[in-house]
Amino acid sequence: MKAMSFSPANHCNLKLQKNPIKQPILANPTHFNSHQNQKPSNKKHQFPSFSIKASKTPQTPLTKNPDTPPLVVVGSANADIYVEIDRLPKEGETISAKTGQTLAGGKGANQAACGAKLSYPTYFVGQVGEDAHGRLITEALKNGGVNLDCVRNLSDAPTGHAVVMLQPDGQNSIIIVGGANMSCWPEKLSDEDLEVVRKAGVVLLQREIPDLVNIQVAKRRPKDLLAQAARSAGVPVILDAGGMDAPMPPELLNAVDIFSPNESELARLTRMSTESFEQIGHAVVKCHKMVSLDTPIIKCFVCVRYEGVKQVLVKLGAKGSALFIEGEKPIKQPIISAARVLDTTGAGDTFTAAFAVALVEGKTKEECMRFAAAAASLCVQVKGAIPSMPDRPSVLHLLQTV
């Protein structure tokens, strides 16, 4: 997948809404036989089994346990304008599309929709315009069971959108217009605004919103030393590298627990080749050490040198994925083959969100990656981003058959 991004400057000041945080919700009435509602651990768990009461009409989502710490996605929401083409146009050439349609998408909205479809309580924190595209996205997320208390509607900026050029083999090229995703965020988020983040079980970020917002969210760490010492048992933050084509601020990379690029994003950010697995490993080391990703920052005549990120989850497309934990042997996960590949849009977002759900449920890293691989395999078999997000029964069924 190739992507380009365009975004407007910040032309307005917006105070975030102070909505009371409601209890997490789930997309459908789901009855669990077993379910792990706890922080990530190293204990082995089996994926839960459960039964679902089917419903033909939208219902009020319910939770098994109102105290379950939710998945919180802070990120982008786009209207994806799909055009199906036989090939990409050459320079100066005009070609005709076979079909075209507009669907809800954006990396943040995709990941939130995936979390809810996987029957985990999910909040989305983002911005849309007061327009038809904004209504399209919020309706899709609401119908999917995502909590939208922290979504802001902007009157001064249009909803972000993307042009997705889909080719017959399922591969795509994307051009993004940032719109509300990149406009009108406050320079400093208040404690009230971040209340939902502090109560999260896991937080997902992407780079289709300003780095300043991501940094503030990622740095929501407990201030007392005891809590800092137990950081691994706190709120894990996962940063998906997808989004803006710009240098990675070391302050952001240092503030997240897991950094998740694909091969091309890793190559671009590290300025290293990622053609082979060995080369990917060398590039990951640069992420661990922060070597040459940026220069040390001078603050008040003190050289501030960042430590880098200790866990790097690399999405390798048809070659699967690999989790690199500093000082440990990489964990490799091959793809789970799809019966057919119709559209790869949203596959990476599905993988990341499914990994996050399994992580917060207490699964091992190997189990997390296998669960994510199964979700991504189902995603590519349906056209569209949010429409292609699989539900939990489908993922568990696939895991039982491979």
Side-chain angles (χ1 to χ4, degrees), residues 229-303:
R231 176 176 174 179
S232 62
V235 180
V237 177
I238 301 174
L239 173 64
D240 190 309
M244 68 180 71
D245 182 6
M248 177 73 66
E251 187 177 7
L252 174 58
L253 199 59
N254 186 59
V256 303
D257 298 280
I258 300 175
F259 178 54
S260 184
N262 60 29
E263 291 171 281
S264 60
E265 290 160 350
L266 181 63
R268 185 178 72 244
L269 291 168
T270 61
R271 304 184 188 93
M272 297 177 67
S273 176
T274 56
E275 296 296 322
S276 68
F277 191 80
E278 182 179 6
Q279 290 173 331
I280 289 171
H282 291 319
V284 165
V285 170
K286 182 176 279 192
C287 293
H288 290 328
K289 303 299 183 182
M290 287 300 299
V291 176
S292 299
L293 275 183
D294 212 324
T295 55
I297 295 177
I298 306 298
K299 293 184 178 180
C300 300
F301 304 104
V302 176
C303 181

Side-chain angles (χ1 to χ4, degrees), residues 172-353:
N172 58 56
S173 297
I174 304 173
I175 301 174
I176 300 171
V177 180
N181 296 312
M182 298 298 293
S183 299
C184 304
W185 290 90
E187 292 185 3
K188 184 176 181 180
L189 303 180
S190 69
D191 286 341
E192 291 80 9
D193 298 326
L194 291 169
E195 180 182 359
V196 67
V197 173
R198 293 195 298 268
K199 293 182 177 180
V202 62
V203 173
L204 275 178
L205 305 173
Q206 323 83 38
R207 298 192 71 205
E208 288 184 348
I209 61 174
D211 283 330
L212 175 65
V213 177
N214 281 331
I215 290 170
Q216 291 184 64
V217 172
K219 293 181 72 174
R220 294 308 304 170
R221 299 295 186 190
K223 295 181 179 180
D224 62 279
L225 293 178
L226 180 61
Q228 286 187 13
R231 176 176 174 179
S232 62
V235 180
V237 177
I238 301 174
L239 173 64
D240 190 309
M244 68 180 71
D245 182 6
M248 177 73 66
E251 187 177 7
L252 174 58
L253 199 59
N254 186 59
V256 303
D257 298 280
I258 300 175
F259 178 54
S260 184
N262 60 29
E263 291 171 281
S264 60
E265 290 160 350
L266 181 63
R268 185 178 72 244
L269 291 168
T270 61
R271 304 184 188 93
M272 297 177 67
S273 176
T274 56
E275 296 296 322
S276 68
F277 191 80
E278 182 179 6
Q279 290 173 331
I280 289 171
H282 291 319
V284 165
V285 170
K286 182 176 279 192
C287 293
H288 290 328
K289 303 299 183 182
M290 287 300 299
V291 176
S292 299
L293 275 183
D294 212 324
T295 55
I297 295 177
I298 306 298
K299 293 184 178 180
C300 300
F301 304 104
V302 176
C303 181
V304 180
R305 189 174 294 276
Y306 295 101
E307 298 178 356
V309 62
K310 305 307 178 187
Q311 300 183 66
V312 181
L313 177 60
V314 186
K315 299 179 282 280
L316 302 173
K319 293 178 285 187
S321 59
L323 176 62
F324 296 81
I325 302 175
E326 188 174 32
E328 300 182 17
K329 183 180 179 180
I331 301 171
K332 296 182 181 181
Q333 172 62 50
I335 63 166
I336 295 177
S337 297
R340 57 178 181 171
V341 177
L342 292 182
D343 183 6
T344 58
T345 308
D349 298 328
T350 299
F351 181 91
T352 306

Side-chain angles (χ1 to χ4, degrees), residues 57-105:
T57 58
Q59 301 184 33
T60 303
L62 302 173
T63 61
K64 176 193 174 187
N65 183 354
D67 295 324
T68 299
L71 164 64
V72 175
V73 182
V74 183
S76 60
N78 291 324
D80 288 345
I81 303 169
Y82 276 82
V83 289
E84 293 191 41
I85 55 178
D86 290 324
R87 59 176 177 81
L88 294 175
K90 298 176 182 178
E91 185 175 352
E93 182 184 23
T94 299
I95 63 174
S96 296
K98 293 185 290 186
T99 62
Q101 60 180 325
T102 301
L103 301 171

Side-chain angles (χ1 to χ4, degrees), residues 18-78:
K18 301 298 190 295
N19 293 332
I21 301 303
K22 299 178 182 179
Q23 295 295 346
I25 57 177
L26 288 179
N28 293 300
T30 305
H31 300 274
F32 292 84
N33 294 328
S34 65
H35 186 77
Q36 301 295 331
N37 294 324
Q38 62 184 34
K39 303 291 184 180
S41 71
N42 291 323
K43 293 178 64 179
K44 267 206 177 286
H45 299 280
Q46 297 298 318
F47 287 107
S49 61
F50 55 87
S51 60
I52 289 185
K53 291 183 178 180
S55 174
K56 296 182 180 179
T57 58
Q59 301 184 33
T60 303
L62 302 173
T63 61
K64 176 193 174 187
N65 183 354
D67 295 324
T68 299
L71 164 64
V72 175
V73 182
V74 183
S76 60
N78 291 324

